[in-house]
Amino acid sequence: MFQNRAEALALALPAAVFAAIVFLAPVVILLAEGFRSADSWSLSAYTTFFSDPLNRTVFLRTFRLGLMVTVVSAVIGYAAAFAIVNLTPRSKGQMIGLVVLPLMISSVARTYAWIVILGRTGIVNQALQFVGLSDEPIRFLFTETAVFIGLLQLFLPLMILSLISALENMPKDAIPAARVLGANWFQVFFKVILPLTKEGLVIGGTLVFTGSLTAYITPAILGGSKVLMLETLLYQRVTVANDFVAASVIAFILIVMSFAANLLLKRLATARNKR
Amino acid sequence: MTPRVFSPLVLFLVIGFLIGPFFIIVAASLSGGETLAFPPQGFSLRWVAKVFTVESFQESFAISMLLAIGGTAAALVLGVPASYALSRYKLPFGETIRTIVSLPIIVPGIIVGLALLRYIVVPFGLNITLTLFLAHTALVLPYAVRVVSASLNNLRSDIEEAAVLLGSSRAGAFFRVVMPNIRSGILAAFILGFVTSFNQVPVSLFLSGPGVRTLPIDMLSYMEITYDPSVAALSALLAFMSIGIVFLAERFLGFSRYV
C-alpha cells in the first residue's frame, strides 16, 4: 500500500472528474427538472404524470414485465444451471460458451430475429396453420407476450451464469446428505439448494430485473407503440410531444427502481462478507 | 446428484431458445426472396452483398468503429490510473470515486443520452460526434475500471514495492513491472469495452441525427423503412464479428477470467 495521497488523487481524479462532468451533472440536472415548476420545487409533475391512465398502465406494465421475466428466468435458470453443473468439465465449458454466445450478439439482431419467428408469416404462424390449429395468422408481434419472450431471451444468460457459479460454490455433499436423510426433491430444493444459492439468485435477479426495466430495443421493436414500456414512453414523450418534464419524471422512476435493485444486491453481498 | 429428467431435454430447449434466433437470422439473410422470411426462399448471397453497397451502413459502421475504438481507448487512459490508485493507495474518498466512475453502468443509457443532448449539446453547441465520443467513453469506463481492477487485485502488490525499494521510480515500476503483468487484463477490458460500445443503442438514440448515426441506430431506422433481409444479413455479419473477437480473446487471453 502506497501512502502518498496527492499522487493517488492525481491518478484517480481525471476519471472521476470526467464521469462527474460528462455523466453525473447532466443526469442530475435532468432529474431536478421534474421537481421544478414555476420556479419552485414541487411534485406537481409527478401527480400530473400519474393522473394520466396511459402513464399508469405503462408504469405497471414495465414493473410487471420486469418481475415476470425475472421469475421465469429464475425457474428456467435453475433447471439449466443444474443440467450444466452436472456435466463433464469439457462439455460444461462448451455449454457455458453457448450460454454466453448470445450476449456477444447485438440486441438489435437478437430482437430482430423474433420478427421472423413471431410475425404474420413467421415460423410460429406457419406451423400453427400447417397443423390446422388456426386458419388465420395470429397476432404475436406488438403484444406483451412478444416483448416478454424477447426480454427473456436477452437476459436469461445472465441468470443462468450467476446460478451456475452459485451452484458450483455450494458444498458438494449437501444434496446427497439431504437425500440420505430422507428429503424429497421438493424439500431438497427449497430447504437446501435455494438457501445455499440465494446470493447467486439475487445477483442474477438484479441483473435481469434492471435489464428488463431499462431495455429499449426489445420493447421498441417487438412492442412498438402498442406495448409501450417506460423507456419507449420516455423516447416518445421527447420526440413526439417535446415533453421534457414527463421525460424527467420517467427518468427518475427508472433510476430509483434500478438503484433500489442494486442497493438490495449490495446489502446482500456485504451481509455475506460479515458472516 | 440431481434428477435425471432435468438434464438433456431442458438443456436442449434452453440452448435452442437462446441460440435458435441467431441461426434463423443467418438463414433468413441467405434467402433469395424479396422480404424477410423463414424458411428462406432459395439460396442467395444478394442480401449479404447488398449490405456492403448501402452507403449509410458504410458511414454508420465507420462511426461505430471510431466510437468503439476511440471511446474504449479513452476509457482505458482514464480508467487504468484510476484502478491503480483505487487498488494500491489509501485514497481519500476512494469509495465515492469508485461509485462516480461506475454509475454509468447503473443508470439507463437513454437517460444519459437525453441529459447530454439537453445540457451539453444544446447549451454549449458541442459537436454531436464529440458528444457521442464522450458518452461512449463514460459508458465504457465502469467496465474498464472493473476488469483492470480485477487483474490488479490478482497481482501481488509487493513486486512493485520491491522495484521501488530497489531504486526504480514509481512510474518506472508501473510501466516495467505492473503493466506487463496486467497486459491481458487491459486487452480483455478493451475487448469488452469495444463490444459494449459497438452494440449499444440507448445512449446514442437521442444523440444520433441525420448525418451522424451509429450502426445499430441506422439498422433500426432502416428496418422502419424496408422489410428486406439486408438487416438480417448485417446482423449476422456483425454477430460473426463479435463472436470472432471474443473467441480469439478467450483463446489467447482466457478472457472469461476477468468478466
Side-chain angles (χ1 to χ4, degrees):
Chain A
M1 219 19 137
F2 297 123
Q3 298 293 342
N4 191 330
R5 291 182 151 214
E7 221 172 78
L9 281 177
L11 291 171
L13 276 186
V17 171
F18 177 84
I21 294 175
V22 169
F23 169 80
L24 192 56
V27 169
V28 169
I29 300 172
L30 178 79
L31 295 182
E33 199 169 352
F35 293 99
R36 302 279 305 167
S37 63
D39 286 325
S40 70
W41 298 97
S42 86
L43 289 174
S44 65
Y46 286 79
T47 43
T48 317
F49 179 82
F50 280 106
S51 65
D52 184 337
L54 170 77
N55 292 343
R56 284 202 301 267
T57 311
V58 172
F59 174 78
L60 289 176
R61 177 189 293 140
T62 307
F63 196 71
R64 184 175 63 232
L65 272 171
L67 274 182
M68 273 166 53
V69 173
T70 311
V71 171
V72 173
S73 74
V75 174
I76 302 177
Y78 265 113
F82 267 127
I84 292 175
V85 171
N86 286 330
L87 294 169
T88 58
R90 193 184 148 80
S91 33
K92 194 198 303 184
Q94 288 166 345
M95 284 303 147
I96 293 177
L98 287 178
V99 172
V100 175
L101 184 83
L103 293 177
M104 305 304 157
I105 300 172
S106 152
S107 46
V108 176
R110 278 201 274 166
T111 305
Y112 188 55
W114 291 109
I115 295 182
V116 191
I117 300 171
L118 299 173
R120 278 178 67 81
T121 56
I123 308 165
V124 175
N125 265 320
Q126 284 181 42
L128 285 177
Q129 282 165 51
F130 183 76
V131 295
L133 276 176
S134 142
D135 300 329
E136 295 181 3
I138 298 174
R139 185 187 193 91
F140 292 111
L141 285 182
F142 313 121
T143 64
E144 269 189 45
T145 314
V147 178
F148 171 79
I149 293 175
L151 290 174
L152 188 66
Q153 191 224 2
L154 213 52
F155 295 112
L156 183 59
L158 301 176
M159 179 63 95
I160 298 180
L161 291 175
S162 8
L163 287 180
I164 287 177
S165 65
L167 284 173
E168 299 216 301
N169 288 332
M170 206 173 75
K172 285 276 164 286
D173 33 18
I175 295 174
R179 291 289 289 162
V180 167
L181 293 172
N184 61 34
W185 279 110
F186 187 78
Q187 290 168 319
V188 168
F189 182 76
F190 284 99
K191 299 223 158 125
V192 180
I193 297 171
L194 195 62
L196 286 174
T197 55
K198 194 181 70 189
E199 203 190 327
L201 180 65
V202 172
I203 293 175
T206 313
L207 292 172
V208 174
F209 183 68
T210 51
S212 306
L213 289 187
T214 61
Y216 173 78
I217 298 165
T218 303
I221 296 180
L222 298 177
S225 53
K226 288 235 159 44
V227 189
L228 286 171
M229 301 234 320
L230 283 175
E231 287 247 335
T232 38
L233 181 68
L234 187 154
Y235 185 71
Q236 202 209 43
R237 290 286 85 199
V238 170
T239 51
V240 178
N242 246 336
D243 186 350
F244 291 105
V245 177
S248 164
V249 172
I250 300 170
F252 189 74
I253 297 172
L254 282 170
I255 286 183
V256 167
M257 292 210 273
S258 135
F259 266 70
N262 276 283
L263 214 64
L264 180 76
L265 172 68
K266 222 175 194 174
R267 218 10 94 71
L268 286 163
T270 44
R272 187 219 27 189
N273 288 342
K274 270 181 205 146
R275 222 191 304 139
Chain B
M1 66 182 236
T2 46
R4 291 265 162 245
V5 279
F6 270 142
S7 309
L9 181 65
V10 165
L11 211 51
F12 178 78
L13 289 176
V14 171
I15 301 280
F17 174 66
L18 291 178
I19 312 272
F22 170 62
F23 284 107
I24 284 168
I25 279 281
V26 174
S29 71
L30 297 176
S31 164
E34 291 300 318
T35 56
L36 191 65
F38 188 92
Q41 301 146 293
F43 172 84
S44 127
L45 286 173
R46 58 189 276 215
W47 299 111
V48 180
K50 193 193 166 187
V51 168
F52 293 94
T53 64
V54 177
E55 212 168 291
S56 78
F57 285 160
Q58 290 171 9
E59 284 163 14
S60 54
F61 178 80
I63 287 169
S64 276
M65 269 295 185
L66 186 81
L67 290 174
I69 294 174
T72 307
L76 282 169
V77 168
L78 292 168
V80 172
S83 312
Y84 188 72
L86 287 167
S87 88
R88 294 293 194 265
Y89 288 85
K90 276 210 179 73
L91 187 63
F93 307 110
E95 269 317 295
T96 314
I97 292 176
R98 194 187 290 277
T99 308
I100 292 177
V101 171
S102 18
L103 274 178
I105 227 173
I106 308 176
V107 176
I110 197 168
I111 299 172
V112 182
L114 177 62
L116 284 173
L117 177 71
R118 289 271 284 162
Y119 304 108
I120 303 264
V121 175
V122 174
F124 299 107
L126 203 65
N127 177 293
I128 284 276
T129 317
L130 181 62
T131 314
L132 271 173
F133 169 74
L134 295 175
H136 278 245
T137 305
L139 177 79
V140 173
L141 191 58
Y143 296 96
V145 170
R146 186 191 281 181
V147 177
V148 174
S149 294
S151 59
L152 277 170
N153 291 338
N154 286 335
L155 182 70
R156 296 169 49 141
S157 65
D158 42 9
I159 63 165
E160 69 249 38
E161 282 165 31
V164 171
L165 279 176
L166 291 171
S168 166
S169 68
R170 194 59 59 74
F174 179 79
F175 284 109
R176 267 182 253 130
V177 179
V178 180
M179 271 293 256
N181 279 297
I182 59 164
R183 206 169 40 198
S184 61
I186 292 179
L187 235 123
F190 189 90
I191 289 156
L192 184 65
F194 178 88
V195 174
T196 307
S197 163
F198 198 89
N199 288 335
Q200 90 75 38
V201 172
V203 174
S204 321
L205 201 61
F206 283 117
L207 297 173
S208 290
V212 186
R213 253 187 210 159
T214 65
L215 189 55
I217 305 276
D218 205 19
M219 287 161 75
L220 278 176
S221 49
Y222 188 89
M223 283 160 53
E224 280 167 15
I225 309 163
T226 5
Y227 199 59
D228 75 28
S230 54
V231 170
L234 183 52
S235 299
L237 288 172
L238 290 175
F240 281 120
M241 184 182 91
S242 297
I243 293 167
I245 293 173
V246 172
F247 177 78
L248 287 178
E250 176 65 45
R251 179 105 201 217
F252 293 111
L253 300 171
F255 178 57
S256 50
R257 274 186 294 150
Y258 299 100
V259 193

